[in-house]
Amino acid sequence: MLPQISDDMLAAVPPATNVLQNWRDALRLLRQNSTTLHTLEAQQEVARAQARQALAPALPSVTGTGAVTRQLLKGETQVIDFPGSAASLAGGGGLVQNTVTLPVNATTWQAGLNLRVPLLALPAWHNRGTALQQIEVTRLNSKAAERVSVAAVADAVVTTVTAERLAEVSRVSLESVLSTLDLTKRRSALGAASTIDVLRIEQEVSLSRSQVVTANDGVLRAREALGAALGSAEPYGVTPAIRLDELANDAKTSCRPADVLARSDVRAAEAAVSVSKRNEDGVSKTYWPTVDAVSSLTYWSPVSAINNEHVTWSVGGVLN
């Protein structure tokens, strides 16, 4: 029966505070914590807002206007009333010269509604289509970034599992070499082994110890990398009961292999080229004319000089 070996370096690496149980937990944490994915989602919202802005010039618009004018400097003028007028009759029937203050109405105001309906707005329509395609570009970029992030998480999970197994193997190897060293020392005390044999085994022990230190450091680094891939500031470990074949089968339920040309990053690049071409075509669209139907309804106080009424209403077309 081999003797029991006790050594501080045979202790396993302390378990991680956060532990992944399966692949679905990894995807949930990635989508919850990834700043890259959240940034791309915000870019999609920006693209949708820009699409709404691009539509604005092609929509009808109604504006209200109001103005009040008060004349502060007034003047006077002489007005001659001819026979038959009320002032002439009051003055005996002859010509009467009166002094009148101008303007007669010192305060005037007006309020109106103006309607504009674009009938031909090729630049606005074209820019609207370009903005809609830009939304698709940002969506595909988000899918591409998610694919890369998922691949990084999968690689980090496998690296962590491998590091845990390697650390375990290095500890078993160290325990075996320490046991061999103990037996060799006993044999040397009995004269069955030489001092050179003891020195050779001690060198193997020193090498095994360095391998344990390296393996333990690899475990800590792998946990840090897994936490960073999941978008967390804390390290993440993997449950010891996990199996890589089961992890792969679980990943296949959420990841599907696709042709290279059907990948989201390739499609995003093609969509970006299309958007660039539309932006180029949009420059030529600015040389096309625009046609707007316009209407204005205004209330005047006092009456308008146009039709001597309080209300004026005009309908027309504007060609630019």
Side-chain angles (χ1 to χ4, degrees):
M1 181 177 180
L2 296 176
Q4 296 293 329
I5 303 299
S6 177
D7 193 280
D8 292 340
M9 295 193 69
L10 295 178
V13 180
T17 306
N18 305 296
V19 178
L20 284 180
Q21 300 296 331
N22 50 51
W23 178 248
R24 293 183 180 86
D25 286 344
L27 291 181
R28 177 181 57 80
L29 290 172
L30 174 64
R31 295 185 175 119
Q32 178 180 342
N33 300 327
S34 176
T35 56
T36 301
L37 298 183
H38 287 316
T39 300
L40 291 172
E41 289 177 359
Q43 290 179 1
Q44 292 186 55
E45 293 298 326
V46 171
R48 294 189 185 97
Q50 291 175 347
R52 292 192 294 270
Q53 292 177 357
L55 180 62
L59 296 178
S61 61
V62 178
T63 58
T65 60
V68 177
T69 304
R70 173 69 178 180
Q71 299 294 339
L72 300 180
L73 298 181
K74 301 180 181 180
E76 293 182 350
T77 185
Q78 300 295 325
V79 177
I80 298 177
D81 292 325
F82 294 94
S85 63
S88 177
L89 294 177
L95 295 177
V96 177
Q97 186 175 2
N98 295 322
T99 302
V100 179
T101 302
L102 295 179
V104 178
N105 298 305
T107 302
T108 60
W109 64 273
Q110 66 183 72
L113 292 176
N114 300 315
L115 173 65
R116 173 183 169 273
V117 181
L119 301 180
L120 180 63
L122 291 181
W125 299 340
H126 183 83
N127 293 336
R128 166 68 172 176
T130 304
L132 292 178
Q133 288 195 9
Q134 184 62 40
I135 296 177
E136 181 66 11
V137 172
T138 56
R139 187 187 70 82
L140 292 174
N141 283 332
S142 179
K143 289 292 183 181
E146 183 178 4
R147 181 184 65 84
V148 174
S149 299
V150 169
V153 170
D155 182 69
V157 169
V158 174
T159 301
T160 303
V161 173
T162 304
E164 297 276 3
R165 299 293 188 269
L166 181 60
E168 182 180 356
V169 170
S170 65
R171 290 193 300 271
V172 172
S173 177
L174 176 60
E175 184 179 10
S176 175
V177 175
L178 289 174
S179 178
T180 302
L181 177 62
D182 182 72
L183 291 175
T184 303
K185 287 181 177 180
R186 293 187 181 187
R187 291 179 62 193
S188 176
L190 296 174
S194 63
T195 306
I196 295 178
D197 294 333
V198 175
L199 292 176
R200 180 176 56 82
I201 299 302
E202 287 180 347
Q203 288 180 351
E204 292 183 4
V205 170
S206 177
L207 179 61
S208 296
R209 289 184 184 278
S210 65
Q211 291 175 349
V212 169
V213 172
T214 302
N216 291 344
D217 182 67
V219 171
L220 299 178
R221 289 177 180 271
R223 290 175 179 176
E224 291 285 349
L226 178 57
L230 293 173
S232 174
E234 300 179 356
Y236 265 81
V238 181
T239 177
I242 198 169
R243 295 176 58 87
L244 290 182
D245 52 352
E246 295 178 355
L247 184 67
N249 293 331
D250 199 9
K252 289 180 180 178
T253 60
S254 58
C255 302
R256 294 286 187 271
D259 183 71
V260 175
L261 297 180
R263 276 177 23 180
S264 54
D265 54 346
V266 178
R267 294 168 56 197
E270 294 175 348
V273 172
S274 178
V275 169
S276 298
K277 291 181 178 179
R278 287 188 62 92
N279 286 329
E280 181 181 0
D281 295 338
V283 177
S284 62
K285 293 294 189 296
T286 59
Y287 292 95
W288 282 74
T290 61
V291 178
D292 298 333
V294 295
S295 180
S296 178
L297 179 65
T298 308
Y299 182 88
W300 305 80
S301 178
V303 296
S304 170
I306 299 176
N307 58 358
N308 201 32
E309 298 287 344
H310 286 289
V311 178
T312 59
W313 183 19
S314 61
V315 177
V318 178
L319 171 65
N320 290 324

